[in-house]
Amino acid sequence: MPPAIATASAPTGSCWRSARPIWWEAFFQSLPVSGSFSRTAVNARAGACTPLSNVMAAAVVGLTLLVLTPLFHFLPVPALAAIIIVAALGLFDLRGLRQLWRIKRTDGAVALLTFAVTLLIGVREGVLSGIVASIVAVMYRISRPNVAELGHLPGTRSFRDRRHHPEARPIPGLLLLRVDASFSFANADFLQDLLLDRTRDDPSIRAVVIDASSINDLDTTAAAALQRVAETLADRGVVLYFAGVKEPVMETMRRASLVDQLGPDHFFLTPHRAVLHILEQWGQADAYRSAVPDAETPASEESES
C-alpha cells in the first residue's frame, strides 16, 4: 500500500496518525501522491506511519542530489537492490498463506494466483486477478452446491450424509437428498439434471425426498425447474416430497403453484415425518418404526411447514 494513502490504516502504537480524511484534500487542489511497490515496502519497513514520511524522503533525496551525490557515486547498484529485497521480504506472509491452503484450498489457490500475478506483472494486475478469481470461485460454488445423499441413523430420527456417516442406512425405494445452498438460476439446471439423472440411473427409486432445511431462498427460475422435475418424475412413476421447507421458500412455492401441483400432503416438517408417511403408504413402516424411538404417525395438519 502506498504510504500516502495508508493514513486510514496506519499501524497502532506511538506513530501519529493524520486525522484528516483523504476527501478533504480534494477541496484544496492537492496532488494525488503514490509510490511504487518497492518504495512502499522500504517505507513501511523503516517504520513510517503517516504521509509525513514522504516529506522526509523528499528532503533526503533533495539533499543527496544537491550535496551528497559524490558520496553515493560509487555505491554498487546491488547494495541498493539489497535494501529493497530485504524490505520486500517482510511483506511475504507465508504463515497466512499456509493457513489459507490448510483451511480451504480454493482460497489458498486464489492467494497464490494473486501473488504470482503481482510478482510477475504488477500490483494492479495482481489485485484485479485476485478479485476476478474470487468472483469465479464464489460463482462456481453457487452453481455446483453440495448435494448430500442422506441415510437414516438407527435409533434416532436423524438423517445424515452417508459419505461422512457410514452407519447411516439407506431406505429401499427412497432417495433422500439435502441441498446445501439457496436454489437459484445459478444452480437450477445443475440440480434439475442431478435429480433426473439419479432417478433414471436407479429404477428402484419410487420416491424422492428433498430436505430443504438448508435452502434459504428460491427464485422463479428454480421454482420452474422444480415444476419440471416434478412432472418428469411423475411420468416415471416417482413421487417428489419436501421436508423442512422454510416459510419464505414455501411462500414462493405457493405463488409458483408448486404446492398445488404436488399437493399439501407432499410437504413435511422433517425428513422423519416424510419417510414415515411414505412407508406407511407402501405398507413398509414397521421396520422403520422399530429403528426409531417413539415414532409417531404424521398428522395431516402438521405436514406442511
Side-chain angles (χ1 to χ4, degrees):
M1 183 189 312
I5 61 175
T7 303
S9 59
T12 58
S14 59
C15 294
W16 173 79
R17 292 197 208 185
S18 173
R20 183 176 61 185
I22 294 176
W23 58 264
W24 176 268
E25 300 174 358
F27 292 95
F28 297 94
Q29 299 180 355
S30 299
L31 293 175
V33 181
S34 63
S36 64
F37 183 73
S38 58
R39 189 183 308 167
T40 300
V42 173
N43 209 19
R45 191 66 178 265
C49 298
T50 71
L52 185 61
S53 62
N54 294 323
V55 177
M56 302 300 297
V60 172
V61 170
L63 181 63
T64 302
L65 291 175
L66 294 175
V67 180
L68 303 177
T69 302
L71 298 179
F72 290 94
H73 178 70
F74 298 101
L75 184 66
V77 174
L80 299 176
I83 297 176
I84 297 176
I85 292 174
V86 171
L89 286 176
L91 300 177
F92 291 97
D93 187 6
L94 296 180
R95 179 180 300 177
L97 185 59
R98 285 196 298 267
Q99 185 177 13
L100 284 176
W101 186 263
R102 178 176 57 85
I103 296 175
K104 196 172 184 64
R105 293 199 172 185
T106 302
D107 295 341
V110 171
L112 286 174
L113 174 65
T114 305
F115 167 74
V117 175
T118 301
L119 185 64
L120 299 176
I121 302 178
V123 177
R124 181 184 304 172
E125 292 79 5
V127 172
L128 290 177
S129 66
I131 294 174
V132 173
S134 299
I135 294 175
V136 171
V138 170
M139 292 303 299
Y140 182 81
R141 286 198 293 265
I142 294 176
S143 63
R144 296 292 187 274
N146 177 58
V147 180
E149 181 176 351
L150 306 181
H152 177 240
L153 292 179
T156 71
R157 300 182 183 182
S158 300
F159 292 82
R160 293 293 182 266
D161 190 344
R162 293 178 57 195
R163 291 175 300 179
H164 305 297
H165 296 270
E167 69 276 15
R169 299 177 180 175
I171 297 178
L174 272 177
L175 176 63
L176 292 95
L177 299 176
R178 186 188 68 230
V179 181
D180 296 332
S182 296
F183 203 177
S184 65
F185 70 94
N187 52 31
D189 291 338
F190 169 77
L191 294 175
Q192 175 181 323
D193 294 340
L194 184 143
L195 288 170
L196 297 181
D197 291 345
R198 294 294 299 274
T199 54
R200 183 183 62 246
D201 297 339
D202 189 354
S204 64
I205 296 176
R206 300 167 57 187
V208 176
V209 178
I210 297 179
D211 181 0
S213 58
S214 301
I215 301 178
N216 298 320
D217 188 33
L218 181 74
D219 65 10
T220 55
T221 303
L226 288 177
Q227 289 179 312
R228 292 192 297 269
V229 168
E231 293 174 357
T232 304
L233 292 181
D235 294 339
R236 297 177 181 176
V238 180
V239 187
L240 179 63
Y241 294 86
F242 289 89
V245 182
K246 297 180 180 179
E247 187 56 36
V249 177
M250 193 68 183
E251 184 62 27
T252 303
M253 290 182 173
R254 292 193 188 99
R255 294 178 180 178
S257 301
L258 183 61
V259 176
D260 295 335
Q261 178 181 349
L262 295 177
D265 58 340
H266 286 231
F267 296 83
F268 295 85
L269 290 174
T270 62
H272 160 70
R273 296 189 178 188
V275 170
L276 185 58
H277 172 78
I278 295 169
L279 294 180
E280 283 180 344
Q281 287 187 329
W282 294 350
Q284 302 175 5
D286 293 339
Y288 178 74
R289 282 199 183 96
S290 64
V292 177
D294 301 324
E296 81 284 0
T297 300
S300 59
E301 66 270 16
E302 296 177 343
S303 64
E304 185 177 333
S305 64

